[in-house]
Amino acid sequence: MTALTLGAEKVGAGTTPARGRTTKGASRQPGSGAIWKIGTAVIVAYALFPVLWIASLSLKSTADVGDRKLIPVSPTLENYRGIFTSGEFVRPLINSIGISLITTLIAVIIAAFAAYAIARLDFPGKGLLLSGALAIAMFPPVSIIGPLFNIWRDVGLYNTWPGLILPYMTFALPLAIWTLAAFFREIPFDLEQAAQVDGATPYQAFRKVILPLALPGVFTSAIIVFIFCWNDFLFAISLTSTDAARTVPAATAFFTASSNFINPTGQIAAAAIVVTVPIILMVLVFQRRIVAGLTAGAVKG
Amino acid sequence: MTATTTQAPADKKPSGGPRKTTDRAQAERRLGIKLAAPAAIIMLLVTAYPILYAVYLSLFRYDLRVPEENAFVGLDNYILILSSGIWWQSVFATALITVVSVAIELVIGLAFALVMHRAVFGRRTVRTSILIPYGIITVIAAFAFRFAVQPDTGFIGDLNPLGGPVGSFATIILTEVWKTTPFMSLLLLAGLATVPEELQEAAKVDGATAWQRLWKITLPNMKGAILVALLFRALDAFRIFDTVYVQTAGQFNTQTISGLGYNALITRVNLGLGSAISILLFLMIIAIAFLFVKGFKTNLGAVKGDR
């Protein structure tokens, strides 16, 4: 994987001079032509159409699901009532929220320490840690589900929350380390030095000076890590067997309707809307940060 | 020397006296290792150990349904897989989905990035809405498109694309493209921001058309960003599992390598054979990454000041 590091570092080295030159929007000539307005409309429609379609399905009664109409003729909330009374959805929802939040919290704290060390301190093994993290981020999860399945059953982690939190951590950590390291590198170095000149230890400089400045980045990587955990499917169906730890994506795939005689489409759609709305709200509020975080980890390297 | 090493300077108050720089450097090294260690240990434990264990398992006949027959078989699992048509079919399906979807994503993603870069009105709206596909759970997106094209729930009539191979691949690729183009376009947007505006102006003065400016200035100047975006997406697409599982469950030869591995490992609990499949996938991912890195090296020398 050394080759990969070398490439990544070169990309990073190439970025540094460019950054200073970029004058954001100052010299940019905004297009005023109709083509950009149409383009904007196309993107919005592109992003929203499948969501609206699912929302429409979720509001249709069992009789109307097959009517091929985009707007429900007689909107009903029966699907939402169905998923919240059957328990087949509520428990996985709790699992998803709990597992994703715990993973995010632990991963971001541990990654913040590592990213700080990478961005600010000189220590042996730094390059190895960064390249190792990148290698793991590229790793196919299916390569470790077999061994984990075997080990987890032996040590009693199969079908438990920690049994999912641990593998999520390995993939969440590289994500968080890269994003955070990119953010930490932007923090003015002088401040930390000033604090150390004033008598702060490296640790105090971290906690009292750098951490407050780094919090937006920490927050951003938390969102990205949360979305990763929230989205996972392969680990969730491989390492769980019942509702004790099964998360929403896995439960949705095995969904049977609350009654055996109705088509589960409407209820799956309702469940989809319930897990999608919080993400949409998060995206609405933190749009700028998420964009910065996604590109900071990848492009700035 | 031992005395200096054992003193932990991180929690020691500065004595006021002049400290040696080597002392300080060493303190920094130790703090660095301390801070990085937890992350490194966890990543090693849950990744390096299982992957080594998978290599070990792949050399055995190891079937949980017939544990009494477990035995060391050397490379037999690999030989069995590499000589099987099902394996090559899954390699073909995975490669097809990866190449077609990443190619489409590059074109659409670039168009979206250009729009986001230029748009003045609704800039916030457009950047927010493009994040929605990124934030949606892949399984949910797969269901959304499955429901949309199925005759009993959809709106495209009796076409039923999921009833045949061509339509199945098309639906899977459509879903992948919808879900991951936003990520691609955001990476490209970051690359676009680094293209010097003066060059665009100069070309405009010289009478270059918009199309010429795109090909002669914009694209060559963001080659680095394009390569990074392609690398990230190609490696991600090559692991595809969720969409295929939900939409076709591998029917009509759409089974991917990850799906094949999952079936062997979890559905049939044949850990030996399944591990060999997953190790082969791992090696292929490394090979793809390696090829891209070679691309980086040759290109970055030529493109100065690129992101």
Side-chain angles (χ1 to χ4, degrees):
Chain A
M1 268 342 334
T2 336
L4 197 58
T5 340
L6 238 85
E9 269 163 11
K10 276 199 176 167
V11 178
T15 73
T16 331
R19 216 175 289 164
R21 216 153 18 86
T22 317
T23 42
K24 244 187 199 162
S27 62
R28 179 186 299 162
Q29 231 195 16
S32 47
I35 186 165
W36 303 119
K37 283 178 198 159
I38 297 168
T40 305
V42 167
I43 296 178
V44 175
Y46 163 95
L48 287 181
F49 181 72
V51 182
L52 295 180
W53 170 244
I54 276 280
S56 150
L57 274 181
S58 77
L59 293 172
K60 285 181 183 176
S61 67
T62 319
D64 291 346
V65 147
D67 67 4
R68 294 178 184 174
K69 288 191 178 112
L70 285 177
I71 296 157
V73 187
S74 49
T76 161
L77 290 176
E78 76 176 46
N79 291 317
Y80 291 90
R81 268 195 296 276
I83 56 168
F84 279 108
T85 48
S86 74
E88 207 179 354
F89 174 70
V90 177
R91 180 64 214 222
L93 185 63
I94 295 169
N95 291 338
S96 263
I97 295 172
I99 291 172
S100 302
L101 280 182
I102 294 173
T103 311
T104 306
L105 187 71
I106 302 175
V108 168
I109 290 173
I110 295 177
F113 286 115
Y116 174 79
I118 287 167
R120 284 284 173 268
L121 305 172
D122 196 25
F123 66 97
K126 184 164 144 177
L128 192 69
L129 181 67
L130 261 184
S131 55
L134 187 66
I136 290 172
M138 301 295 160
F139 199 81
V142 76
S143 294
I144 58 169
I145 57 165
L148 286 183
F149 175 73
N150 215 18
I151 302 168
W152 273 194
R153 285 179 327 128
D154 283 345
V155 300
L157 282 176
Y158 183 70
N159 203 24
T160 64
W161 279 24
L164 280 182
I165 292 172
L166 271 172
Y168 286 179
M169 289 278 288
T170 26
F171 287 91
L173 277 176
L175 216 59
I177 289 176
W178 275 84
T179 317
L180 282 169
F183 274 106
F184 285 0
R185 285 198 189 105
E186 304 281 315
I187 296 170
F189 195 40
D190 310 352
L191 282 180
E192 191 186 35
Q193 277 190 324
Q196 291 196 16
V197 167
D198 286 351
T201 63
Y203 176 69
Q204 283 172 325
F206 169 67
R207 201 168 53 89
K208 300 223 167 114
V209 181
I210 300 302
L211 201 59
L213 284 171
L215 274 179
V218 172
F219 195 69
T220 305
S221 53
I223 295 176
I224 292 173
V225 166
F226 183 87
I227 290 179
F228 164 79
C229 302
W230 192 244
N231 184 52
D232 171 77
F233 179 57
L234 186 53
F235 285 117
I237 57 167
S238 302
L239 302 176
T240 65
S241 56
T242 66
D243 278 351
R246 191 172 274 167
T247 57
V248 170
T252 319
F254 298 126
F255 214 66
T256 47
S258 53
S259 150
N260 283 332
F261 300 102
I262 59 173
N263 182 337
T265 301
Q267 295 198 349
I268 292 178
I273 290 301
V274 172
V275 295
T276 301
V277 166
I279 297 285
I280 293 183
L281 289 180
M282 210 148 81
V283 161
L284 275 175
V285 179
F286 304 115
Q287 172 257 129
R288 196 169 300 179
R289 287 202 174 147
I290 300 174
V291 171
L294 280 176
T295 47
V299 179
K300 286 183 198 157
Chain B
M1 202 57 222
T2 342
T4 24
T5 340
T6 40
Q7 275 178 348
D11 49 0
K12 219 184 78 171
K13 272 208 290 189
S15 49
R19 300 183 61 142
K20 283 181 192 161
T21 41
T22 48
D23 214 21
R24 188 154 191 102
Q26 211 173 16
E28 190 179 302
R29 284 164 73 103
R30 243 172 299 135
L31 179 68
I33 291 173
K34 263 193 234 164
L35 289 176
I41 291 167
I42 293 178
M43 289 192 289
L44 273 179
L45 269 183
V46 197
T47 319
Y49 176 66
I51 195 85
L52 291 176
Y53 188 38
V55 173
Y56 171 82
L57 283 174
S58 73
L59 302 174
F60 282 80
R61 175 160 62 232
Y62 198 102
D63 192 330
L64 291 182
R65 289 171 306 181
V66 276
E68 64 281 358
E69 283 177 19
N70 292 354
F72 181 78
V73 292
L75 293 175
D76 279 9
N77 286 329
Y78 291 95
I79 295 167
L80 184 69
I81 294 164
L82 291 175
S83 56
S84 113
I86 299 171
W87 160 259
W88 292 108
Q89 183 59 54
S90 78
V91 172
F92 173 76
T94 311
L96 180 74
I97 294 171
T98 303
V99 170
V100 176
S101 55
V102 174
I104 298 174
E105 282 164 29
L106 180 62
V107 176
I108 303 181
L110 194 63
F112 282 9
L114 285 169
V115 170
M116 286 192 284
H117 190 58
R118 293 289 169 195
V120 226
F121 299 107
R123 159 170 274 188
R124 213 186 117 81
T125 320
V126 80
R127 290 194 186 186
T128 304
S129 43
I130 206 159
L131 280 174
I132 291 173
Y134 162 78
I136 282 184
I137 297 176
T138 313
V139 170
I140 301 292
F143 270 117
F145 281 90
R146 191 181 107 184
F147 290 154
V149 300
Q150 266 179 349
D152 57 343
T153 52
F155 57 88
I156 59 164
D158 293 321
L159 227 53
N160 194 19
L162 290 174
V166 176
S168 293
F169 274 110
T171 312
I172 291 168
I173 289 170
L174 178 71
T175 312
E176 277 289 288
V177 167
W178 180 78
K179 162 90 183 134
T180 51
T181 298
F183 180 65
M184 178 83 102
S185 70
L186 288 174
L187 291 185
L188 296 175
L189 179 64
L192 262 182
T194 66
V195 177
E197 200 67 30
E198 310 88 70
L199 280 182
Q200 302 275 19
E201 293 300 318
K204 217 183 241 172
V205 171
D206 289 348
T209 63
W211 188 248
Q212 284 171 325
R213 291 202 303 272
L214 175 69
W215 281 96
K216 302 279 180 193
I217 294 168
T218 309
L219 290 181
N221 273 293
M222 55 183 290
K223 220 178 230 168
I226 293 175
L227 275 173
V228 173
L230 284 179
L231 170 70
F232 273 56
R233 273 300 305 139
L235 292 184
D236 195 35
F238 211 75
R239 308 181 282 196
I240 179 175
F241 174 78
D242 309 12
T243 309
V244 179
Y245 185 96
V246 168
Q247 293 188 333
T248 66
Q251 277 190 82
F252 307 113
N253 293 330
T254 54
Q255 189 60 283
T256 60
I257 305 175
S258 283
L260 202 65
Y262 170 81
N263 280 347
L265 288 166
I266 306 296
T267 316
R268 294 201 304 275
V269 288
N270 189 337
L271 294 185
L273 207 60
S275 296
I277 295 173
S278 57
I279 293 298
L280 285 172
L281 174 62
F282 182 48
L283 294 177
M284 291 167 95
I285 296 258
I286 291 178
I288 297 175
F290 186 75
L291 286 177
F292 266 99
V293 169
K294 284 206 139 185
F296 280 133
K297 275 182 192 158
T298 47
N299 274 293
L300 279 174
V303 190
K304 273 191 292 175
D306 204 337
R307 269 214 167 191

